[in-house]
Structure formats: C-alpha cells, structure tokens
C-alpha cells in the first residue's frame, strides 16, 4: 500500500468516499490531474472507478451516495460528485452544490454535463443569448398586470434574472417593481 493510499484510507475511514462501501477500494486520481496525492485523489470502489472511466457502463443505482459525498470537505470528492451528478442529469442536487470558480473549472475540465440537449437557453428578440445579470431594453410598451402601470418602450432593465424553467421569461425591475417579462419583448444591451 502506497503512502498516499494509506493517507486516503485514514481520511476516509477505509470507505469509498462516494458510496461508503468498504470493499474493493482503489485510488482514483481526478482528471486532468495526474499526480496521485491527497489534493488530487479519492478512495473509491473499483466498480465506480470503472464507471467514471467508461461512461456507457454508468449505473445510476450505484451512485446513490452522491447526495452525501457532494458535501464532503475534500475537494477531489466534490469534483467527482459534481461530474457524476452532471452525467446523471441530477439538476436538483447540482443546483444545491457550490464550488469556487477554480474548482468549477476543474470539475468542468472533462466536459462532463456539457450537452446542450434539453438545456434551457434564454434569447432576446434578436436571438442573442441572455444570462443572469445582463441588461436589456424593452422594445414594446408592456401593460403590467396587477401593478397598474405600463412599462414603456426603451426602458432599461438591469441585472435581469433568468426564469430557470421557462425559456420565454426573465425577471427584472421596472419602476421599482419586480416583474416578469417575455424575452420576445426585450433587446440585450452591450
């Protein structure tokens, strides 16, 4: 047993850091890292390691421990948890997970979960992609239901928020009121 493997056993209590299983454990160095170390590696079952390396063999039932491992204090465990949640398309847990910017870059470095299929992309009236925090301008007068005012054409809406489950809606503030706006009535400003 290598020194790193012994340290990983000590760190994990000789259990898989994803599933908690105690049998058939191996060291897995989290790509693109290549140096086996506490900062780059996790202790995992051979079955899970094989599934990471061969995505077509992924069995979702084997990854039930992700809802706990995603909260692990060790960064390589968090990275593997993020990647597998992305692969399994478990958006509920992914949205709860927080990674620092450099950690998120590491997690995304293998392009896990990058598929655009089924992904909601908000676009303005000209087809420009909208993101949270963008600024837009209204291209039409809009009667705001329940607020008794009209949002005028040309009004700037700063720091918009995307409505995550509806590609046609954004949220923004107009005349000190937070309103929902159809994306077809806005134009992104630079």
């Amino acid at each position: 047993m290598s020194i790193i493997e012994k340290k990983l056993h000590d760190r994990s209590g000789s259990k898989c850091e994803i599933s908690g299983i105690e049998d058939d454990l191996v060291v897995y160095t989290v790509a693109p890292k290549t140096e086996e170390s506490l900062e780059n590696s996790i202790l995992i079952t051979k079955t899970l390691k094989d599934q990471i390396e061969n995505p077509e063999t992924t069995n979702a039932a084997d990854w039930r421990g992700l809802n706990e491992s995603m909260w692990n204090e060790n960064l390589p465990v968090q990275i593997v948890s993020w990647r597998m949640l992305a692969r399994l398309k478990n958006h509920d847990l992914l949205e709860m997970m927080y990674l620092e910017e450099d950690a998120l870059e590491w997690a995304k470095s293998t392009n896990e979960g990058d598929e655009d299929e089924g992904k909601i992309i908000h676009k303005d009236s000209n087809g420009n992609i909208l993101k949270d925090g963008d600024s837009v301008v209204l291209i039409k007068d809009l009667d705001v239901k329940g607020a008794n005012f009209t949002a005028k054409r040309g009004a700037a809406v700063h720091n918009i928020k995307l409505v995550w489950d509806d590609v046609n809606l954004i949220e923004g503030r107009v005349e000190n009121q937070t309103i929902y706006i159809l994306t077809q009535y806005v134009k992104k400003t630079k």
Side-chain angles (χ1 to χ4, degrees):
M1 182 181 296
S2 72
I3 293 171
I4 296 301
E5 190 173 355
K6 180 169 180 359
K7 287 182 178 182
L8 287 170
H9 273 274
D10 291 344
R11 176 174 90 183
S12 68
S14 293
K15 293 180 182 175
C16 173
E17 293 183 275
I18 301 294
S19 66
I21 293 173
E22 298 178 11
D23 300 323
D24 203 18
L25 299 175
V26 294
V27 174
Y28 173 69
T29 301
V30 184
K33 310 287 187 192
T34 55
E35 180 190 347
E36 201 174 273
S37 71
L38 282 177
E39 295 78 27
N40 299 338
S41 307
I42 66 171
L43 197 63
I44 192 167
T45 65
K46 183 169 182 345
T47 301
L48 294 185
K49 179 180 184 264
D50 291 345
Q51 289 182 34
I52 290 171
E53 294 172 345
N54 303 295
E56 65 281 353
T57 66
T58 302
N59 178 356
D62 292 338
W63 294 94
R64 287 184 296 243
L66 289 172
N67 60 342
E68 290 182 28
S69 66
M70 65 186 264
W71 305 114
N72 190 294
E73 64 186 15
N74 299 297
L75 187 56
V77 179
Q78 293 173 23
I79 300 300
V80 170
S81 298
W82 187 95
R83 287 179 181 171
M84 292 311 299
L85 289 169
R87 181 185 297 178
L88 296 168
K89 297 181 179 13
N90 190 329
H91 299 293
D92 291 338
L93 290 181
L94 264 179
E95 285 180 16
M96 283 192 259
M97 205 171 168
Y98 174 79
L99 293 175
E100 296 288 338
E101 197 171 317
D102 55 339
L104 190 56
E105 280 181 36
W106 181 13
K108 290 181 174 181
S109 66
T110 58
N111 298 323
E112 196 72 62
D114 265 0
E115 302 162 21
D116 281 345
E117 185 182 324
K119 190 175 180 183
I120 291 181
I121 299 175
H122 293 72
K123 294 184 179 181
D124 72 359
S125 59
N126 295 329
N128 296 314
I129 294 175
L130 298 171
K131 296 184 291 233
D132 278 332
D134 281 347
S135 294
V136 297
V137 173
L138 301 179
I139 61 169
K140 176 182 175 176
D141 288 350
L142 300 173
D143 290 327
V144 181
K145 296 177 182 171
N148 296 327
F149 77 92
T150 300
K152 298 290 184 191
R153 179 177 160 207
V157 183
H158 301 287
N159 199 21
I160 65 167
K161 295 202 179 348
L162 305 179
V163 176
W164 68 272
D165 61 348
D166 190 334
V167 72
N168 299 309
L169 282 178
I170 60 172
E171 188 179 324
R173 291 185 64 79
V174 176
E175 294 187 23
N176 292 323
Q177 299 260 348
T178 300
I179 62 172
Y180 290 99
I181 307 166
L182 289 170
T183 55
Q184 69 192 42
Y185 299 129
V186 301
K187 181 173 70 171
K188 182 176 178 178
T189 58
K190 299 295 178 222

